Amino acid sequence: LSSGADTDEQRAFAAVPKFDTVYREQRGRVLGAVRAILGPSDEVDDVVQLAFIEIHRCLDRFEGRSRLSTWCYRIAINVALQHLRKKRRKRWLMLGTTGEEATEMAGAVHSAGRLEDRQILEKVYRAVDTLSEKKRVVWVLHELQGQDPGEIASVLGIPMNTVRSRLLAARRDLMDELARMGVAPDGGTK
Amino acid sequence: VSRCQRVADASAAADAQSLAALAAHAEACADCAQAQHAHAAYQHLVSGARRALDAEGDLAPEAWVAIRSGIDAATGRPNRWRLAWPVGLATAALGVALVVVAPKFSAPDSRDPAAQLSASEPAGVLPDRLPASTAPEAVARLGDDAPSPGPGDVLSTADDARTIVAFGRHVLTLSPATAVEVVSWTPSSMIVTVRRGSLSCDVARASAAELFEVRTSQARVRVLGTRFSVTAERDGATAVHVGHGLVEVAHIGGTTRLAEGQADRFGGAPAAKLAPEAQVEPEADGPRDPAARGSASRAVRGHSPQLIDIKVPDQAMEPPAASKRPAPKAGAGGDLKLIEIVVPPQSAPSP
């Protein structure tokens, strides 16, 4: 009995992937998730690092109920959202360039061909910032990361209908916000 | 204006079928046309944002290296990093304390010639012939702030003054009315020429390959080093044989100097003095190296309960004076001037 338990323990231990492997295989996915949640930001590197620290901390608790990539993705999203929450709390302290100036400065470092997309990205994220956290995650994962509602439901651990309803609501809110910003015409959805 | 629910549903759902229905409906519905226009603009914005995100690509390798370092620091080596700070701070504090406090206790008095010489000398090399006063004549000749002599420089003493010059580890004592030319002074060789008078040298070579040579018009005197052997015998005695040079043995009965070819036995059962040929090994050769001296002492202590310390004070030499006039005896001629010459850091071999 004892040896059987040991074997199970060893098997469970062997099933836990090594961090180096996880880091090597998942870093692109983690980076994509963090970048999608944060948008254009200088803090992507830091948040990726925080996400991997969290992955390292929780790796021995990975039970294999979901795919490792999904598990890492979920952690990356949670860490990025946590970072956004902290950032919102201390936003009132931030001084410096206005949004327009920051946009121009950021655009200056990109080539002319990518400038328009970059500007669009920043405008879209300014609108995305007005969404609630729940809507934001669903919208970002679907529209920018290209995940279908089923995958999003799996990552976030919520029903698929909830994903659909949040996505619908996020899209309406976003179109209204873009129209309000003068970036897109009013669609008359309200 | 009434809103068309169909428009709202289609623009929100954004699937192909709904959009096709919307397009068909929009031809006859102003609201739907407006919604279709807005949806196209939205799609344009989302596509642009997606392209911009994709264009960001991967991080630079340096960024990944920095990220990995941060992860390692936070996860893989937490204890080491936690310890590194206190250890680093303690080391820095100790360093500052040594720099600030140590000179107060160990720095020699700049007015004391004996202390000056001690600072430039290896332990145990300082001769017991330091003067009590300083000769003003020597000061006038060499100067207090004279630069370190190099090849071609001539050191000279007055008729009534003796001068000690420390060339790094080597100490040269110029008798009164002596002139010495520095031929070479490098980390690997020290060559001087005695033009007149008498020169006494205490040589501390860093290695056997280091050359120390004193020349006159008729002779060359070169330090070859010391060769001696120490044998720890079974009865606890220590046998010492000097093949070349001079060795001083400090033992429980006192201090004994053994010259070249001499041998003696210390401690253990009384025995006759050893024949030189009986001493074979171990053999130490070369410079007066404190490390070598220490190892010899340890070897003796390891085999004998008695403390026997072997020193090698053999490297002092008196080359023949080039002057026809007999040189005054050391210490009897007059005052002595101490000059310390500091070896440049890049040319100073470790003793």
Side-chain angles (χ1 to χ4, degrees):
Chain A
L1 184 63
S2 174
S3 64
D6 288 347
T7 307
D8 291 343
E9 210 169 88
Q10 288 169 0
R11 199 176 296 138
F13 180 76
V16 175
K18 290 185 177 178
F19 177 73
D20 286 341
T21 309
V22 175
Y23 175 78
R24 194 171 53 249
E25 292 177 353
Q26 302 297 329
R27 66 182 192 178
R29 194 171 168 81
V30 168
L31 172 65
V34 169
R35 192 177 268 162
I37 296 292
L38 295 187
S41 169
D42 295 335
E43 297 165 328
V44 170
D45 299 16
D46 296 336
V47 178
V48 167
Q49 183 171 303
L50 288 173
F52 272 112
I53 290 171
E54 189 65 15
I55 288 171
H56 183 280
R57 196 175 65 82
C58 302
L59 192 57
D60 55 348
R61 283 182 274 164
F62 174 66
E63 296 173 345
R65 291 181 188 172
S66 61
R67 285 190 301 172
L68 181 67
S69 57
T70 304
W71 183 78
C72 291
Y73 200 73
R74 190 184 303 152
I75 289 179
I77 288 169
N78 287 335
V79 170
L81 288 174
Q82 200 174 17
H83 179 76
L84 277 182
R85 279 181 225 130
K86 288 180 185 172
K87 197 175 171 183
R88 280 194 186 120
R89 279 202 293 271
K90 53 187 178 183
R91 179 174 289 173
W92 63 279
L93 284 172
M94 295 176 70
L95 301 172
T97 58
T98 63
E100 292 296 330
E101 289 165 350
T103 302
E104 288 169 9
M105 289 165 63
V109 300
H110 288 77
S111 63
R114 289 158 54 186
L115 182 59
E116 188 186 359
D117 287 345
R118 181 75 184 183
Q119 288 173 337
I120 288 173
L121 179 71
E122 287 167 359
K123 286 172 183 171
V124 167
Y125 266 95
R126 254 187 284 159
V128 167
D129 280 343
T130 64
L131 297 176
S132 70
E133 191 177 281
K134 291 177 180 176
K135 290 179 188 174
R136 177 190 182 115
V137 173
V138 171
W139 185 88
V140 161
L141 295 185
H142 179 73
E143 294 285 29
L144 300 183
Q145 290 276 287
Q147 295 197 1
D148 61 44
E151 290 174 323
I152 296 172
S154 170
V155 168
L156 299 181
I158 55 176
M160 197 186 298
N161 283 338
T162 306
V163 173
R164 288 188 189 280
S165 63
R166 285 181 187 174
L167 182 60
L168 199 65
R171 200 176 277 154
R172 281 180 185 158
D173 291 351
L174 202 57
M175 289 177 74
D176 288 344
E177 181 62 23
L178 289 170
R180 193 188 63 76
M181 289 167 59
V183 179
D186 185 2
T189 55
K190 284 186 179 176
Chain B
V1 177
S2 63
R3 295 295 183 188
C4 182
Q5 188 59 41
R6 198 174 168 190
V7 169
D9 292 344
S11 61
D15 56 75
Q17 191 178 0
S18 301
L19 290 175
L22 178 64
H25 179 74
E27 293 177 1
C29 179
D31 287 345
C32 289
Q34 185 185 2
Q36 192 179 22
H37 180 58
H39 186 79
Y42 168 80
Q43 284 297 332
H44 170 73
L45 290 173
V46 171
S47 301
R50 195 182 298 166
R51 279 196 306 271
L53 269 186
D54 293 342
E56 294 281 340
D58 199 358
L59 294 177
E62 303 83 39
W64 282 117
V65 169
I67 288 173
R68 186 58 205 250
S69 305
I71 294 168
D72 288 343
T75 59
R77 295 169 291 183
N79 294 332
R80 205 179 303 172
W81 281 103
R82 280 176 197 149
L83 283 175
W85 280 103
V87 168
L89 286 174
T91 306
L94 185 62
V96 170
L98 284 174
V99 168
V100 173
V101 178
K104 294 180 180 176
F105 294 100
S106 61
D109 187 353
S110 59
R111 294 166 298 181
D112 182 6
Q116 276 195 340
L117 191 55
S118 298
S120 64
E121 266 291 276
V125 188
L126 189 64
D128 300 324
R129 51 175 183 272
L130 290 174
S133 61
T134 301
E137 294 82 359
V139 173
R141 284 167 185 266
L142 289 171
D144 279 331
D145 53 355
S148 299
D153 289 346
V154 177
L155 308 176
S156 62
T157 54
D159 291 343
D160 57 348
R162 203 158 58 92
T163 300
I164 295 176
V165 184
F167 282 82
R169 300 181 308 280
H170 311 310
V171 178
L172 277 56
T173 304
L174 281 69
S175 299
T178 297
V180 175
E181 179 186 355
V182 179
V183 178
S184 169
W185 181 28
T186 68
S188 60
S189 72
M190 172 82 198
I191 302 173
V192 294
T193 300
V194 180
R195 298 291 180 204
R196 69 170 188 273
S198 177
L199 175 68
S200 176
C201 307
D202 280 327
V203 181
R205 295 187 298 166
S207 68
E210 185 178 339
L211 173 68
F212 189 96
E213 189 175 286
V214 179
R215 299 174 180 172
T216 67
S217 59
Q218 299 173 351
R220 286 185 177 184
V221 181
R222 183 176 293 183
V223 175
L224 296 177
T226 304
R227 189 173 67 249
F228 67 99
S229 66
V230 180
T231 304
E233 299 186 337
R234 288 183 180 178
D235 62 352
T238 299
V240 180
H241 167 235
V242 179
H244 180 76
L246 182 68
V247 168
E248 181 182 275
V249 183
H251 51 92
I252 197 166
T255 302
T256 303
R257 285 197 169 199
L258 298 177
E260 182 175 331
Q262 290 184 329
D264 207 341
R265 194 165 179 276
F266 306 94
K273 292 198 173 176
L274 301 174
E277 292 74 16
Q279 311 306 310
V280 181
E281 62 182 359
E283 187 173 75
D285 191 9
R288 179 174 47 192
D289 187 354
R293 193 166 62 225
S295 65
S297 300
R298 281 195 298 274
V300 171
R301 287 171 193 163
H303 292 276
S304 170
Q306 298 171 335
L307 175 63
I308 296 179
D309 188 23
I310 299 176
K311 295 179 180 177
V312 192
D314 64 320
Q315 306 293 347
M317 60 183 183
E318 295 273 356
S323 171
K324 293 177 181 176
R325 185 179 58 177
K329 291 183 180 177
D335 294 332
L336 178 142
K337 164 64 178 171
L338 174 70
I339 298 169
E340 181 187 11
I341 298 170
V342 180
V343 182
Q346 66 275 13
S347 61
S350 59

